[in-house]
Amino acid sequence: MSKHTALPESELSLAALRGDCARMAPHWTAPARSALVAVKPPLINGVTVPPSSARLIDAMSEYGD
């Protein structure tokens, strides 16, 4: 487990996050690629995002601009 997981979300840096991901990448397997099928908008409903995930994504805006 990374030492960064114990820090509050606001103290995580993009470099630390990328480093954690790079260390975990060898442990992940990717499924075989399949053809993408569009989902009709009326079928996309009931999606919920946990508050902690929403805060993390909201804080990432500083890296995208």
Side-chain angles (χ1 to χ4, degrees):
M1 188 176 267
S2 169
K3 65 180 179 179
H4 300 290
T5 56
L7 296 173
E9 291 172 4
S10 61
E11 292 185 29
L12 287 175
S13 69
L14 181 57
L17 180 60
R18 291 181 68 182
D20 288 345
C21 292
R23 283 187 291 283
M24 288 304 299
H27 303 285
W28 297 331
T29 58
R33 287 205 143 187
S34 60
L36 297 177
V37 178
V39 176
K40 295 177 183 175
L43 297 176
I44 302 173
N45 61 29
V47 176
T48 58
V49 178
S52 59
S53 295
R55 283 193 307 272
L56 177 65
I57 298 301
D58 186 44
M60 295 298 283
S61 65
E62 69 185 82
Y63 298 112
D65 292 335

